[in-house]
Amino acid sequence: MASSRRSFVFVLLMVVVGLNLRPALSSIAPLLARLQETAGLSAFAAGVLTTLPVLCLGLAAPLAPLLAHRLGSERALALSLAALAIGLIVRGLPLPGVLFLGTAMAGAAIGVGGTLLPALVKRELPGNADLVTGIYTMALCLGGALGAGLSIPLAELWGSWRLGLMSWSLLAIFALILWLGYMPAPAATPLASIQQHNLLQLLKKALTWQVMLYMGMQSSMAYIVFGWLPTLLIYRGYAEANAGWLMSISIMCQVFSALGAPWLARLGPDQRPALLLMLLCTAAGLWLLLIGPLAWRWPGAILLGLGQGGSFSLALTLLVLRTANSRLSGQLSGLVQGGGYTLASLGPLSVGLLLQAGADIMHIAWLLIGLIGVCCGLAMLAGRNRQLDNEDGKLVTRKH
């Protein structure tokens, strides 16, 4: 009974923390057009603003195992939530450059927190780590949907886009208070002890790079949507609020596929069919939204959301399925999310540069669909039923 209660509390905490790991990213996009008008941001500066949190997320992710080793995973996660709240407050202050500074700080905090959680899931609920990861991913997607859908209403409610952006710190503070009150007891040994030799051995494994590149490519598509989808839809003729709600509906649909994709992946011998299905949904959704008839915008938003939610959920699931224990899961999570998100940061910046150079939406859309094709190839490699294992100091790749 005590074990069931502990598991329930942990899942609840994981959901609350997960809700905080996307609004900092998705709440900017619906306001980009307003920021370009009121704050004088160029298309390139807007691209930097959408790229910065993803880049900092990737650069900070490898620090998570180090912080977990020194502070314990539980206190390290509390520190990341505190840093997130501070970053969300700072980015709304009426001072030069703080919009970029606070956004970078929030991105780094998300990188650390998001890297710690898969290893904690592997430790606390090892038997159902893949399905629980789906619940956690569902919370991430719901947080992203709230950030996109409520960004403009909050700005209108507070009478200022600055206060609207700052208000998301309240959710982070709430999560921090809950985590400090009910976080799981520290493990007897550090969850992610740092062994440089093992990290180097991980980097020598093809499976590590396959998972990392898949993570990076699908995340790049996700952050292009977070950063630029409303702007691209406005260029197609939609009103600012309608573009924001289309993005919000799309991200809301991610909730269902994020929860369902790990179950779907269990139906086959490996994860490749589920990965390919999710990527095809993403490609179809982008085509309908950016190229297809305007009347098909809602099915496009739904397909895009289902595809991206499932792709991201499966990417995180690979981190726990491709490792044999929580320590190795923490190390792989730091490497994969660090490298993957650093690669993903190039996506939003590239779209900003393309728009600055005068590229039209159709060219951008076909480029994105082409990138999804590359991601399908990576999914065929990363989705194979293989596992990294660590026995007697040797890192081997084994089928399971």
Side-chain angles (χ1 to χ4, degrees), residues 293-384:
L294 297 181
W296 286 85
R297 61 190 181 277
W298 294 110
I302 291 170
L303 280 173
L304 177 63
L306 291 175
Q308 290 201 305
S311 294
F312 182 56
S313 179
L314 290 172
L316 292 180
T317 300
L318 292 178
L319 297 179
V320 297
L321 291 181
R322 296 296 173 265
T323 52
N325 54 66
S326 61
R327 181 186 55 75
L328 194 56
S329 179
Q331 292 175 345
L332 182 66
S333 180
L335 288 175
V336 166
Q337 296 198 57
Y341 287 131
T342 301
L343 173 63
S345 68
L346 299 176
L349 180 61
S350 299
V351 172
L353 291 173
L354 287 171
L355 290 174
Q356 182 108 346
D360 61 33
I361 294 179
M362 183 170 292
H363 290 147
I364 293 174
W366 282 115
L367 175 62
L368 298 181
I369 292 171
L371 291 176
I372 292 175
V374 176
C375 198
C376 286
L378 293 168
M380 291 296 292
L381 297 172
R384 293 175 298 172

Side-chain angles (χ1 to χ4, degrees), residues 28-332:
I28 285 284
L31 294 169
L32 268 185
R34 190 175 301 191
L35 289 173
Q36 288 179 283
E37 292 176 5
T38 61
L41 292 182
S42 65
F44 175 73
V48 171
L49 185 62
T50 57
T51 297
L52 195 58
V54 188
L55 177 61
C56 292
L57 193 158
L59 294 176
L63 298 177
L66 178 62
L67 289 173
H69 177 63
R70 293 185 178 276
L71 303 176
S73 296
E74 299 76 17
R75 287 192 291 272
L77 186 56
L79 180 63
S80 73
L81 287 171
L84 175 61
I86 294 171
L88 292 172
I89 293 171
V90 167
R91 73 174 182 172
L93 297 175
L95 298 171
V98 296
L99 177 61
F100 292 88
L101 176 63
T103 299
M105 188 174 181
I110 291 170
V112 172
T115 302
L116 291 169
L117 280 174
L120 279 167
V121 169
K122 185 80 171 181
R123 188 192 80 188
E124 294 293 314
L125 301 166
N128 293 295
D130 55 341
L131 302 182
V132 176
T133 299
I135 297 174
Y136 156 60
T137 313
M138 178 189 69
L140 287 176
C141 297
L142 180 58
L146 292 174
L150 297 179
S151 181
I152 290 177
L154 283 173
E156 299 292 341
L157 174 66
W158 294 103
S160 164
W161 62 264
R162 295 183 184 278
L163 291 176
L165 290 178
M166 292 173 71
S167 62
W168 291 104
S169 64
L170 299 176
L171 183 61
I173 292 169
F174 173 69
L176 175 60
I177 293 172
L178 277 185
W179 182 260
L180 289 174
Y182 298 99
M183 64 183 179
T189 57
L191 179 62
S193 58
I194 301 298
Q195 296 183 28
Q196 190 69 21
H197 173 71
N198 284 345
L199 293 178
L200 292 175
Q201 289 295 317
L202 271 175
L203 286 172
K204 292 179 181 179
K205 292 295 178 181
L207 182 57
T208 300
W209 288 94
Q210 291 158 9
V211 175
M212 182 190 299
L213 291 174
Y214 171 75
M215 170 68 83
M217 291 294 290
Q218 68 84 27
S219 294
S220 182
M221 301 300 304
Y223 291 117
I224 288 170
V225 169
F226 278 144
W228 285 108
L229 182 62
T231 301
L232 294 174
L233 293 176
I234 289 171
Y235 286 171
R236 284 209 79 186
Y238 293 102
E240 183 185 56
N242 288 336
W245 278 112
L246 271 172
M247 176 177 167
S248 180
I249 291 298
S250 178
I251 301 177
M252 185 65 72
C253 290
Q254 293 182 15
V255 172
F256 302 102
S257 58
L259 185 60
W263 290 89
L264 181 64
R266 282 192 166 192
L267 299 178
D270 57 38
Q271 291 76 48
R272 286 177 292 182
L275 287 167
L276 291 178
L277 177 62
M278 296 300 106
L279 289 170
L280 289 175
C281 286
T282 302
L286 281 173
W287 188 89
L288 288 173
L289 281 173
L290 301 180
I291 299 176
L294 297 181
W296 286 85
R297 61 190 181 277
W298 294 110
I302 291 170
L303 280 173
L304 177 63
L306 291 175
Q308 290 201 305
S311 294
F312 182 56
S313 179
L314 290 172
L316 292 180
T317 300
L318 292 178
L319 297 179
V320 297
L321 291 181
R322 296 296 173 265
T323 52
N325 54 66
S326 61
R327 181 186 55 75
L328 194 56
S329 179
Q331 292 175 345
L332 182 66

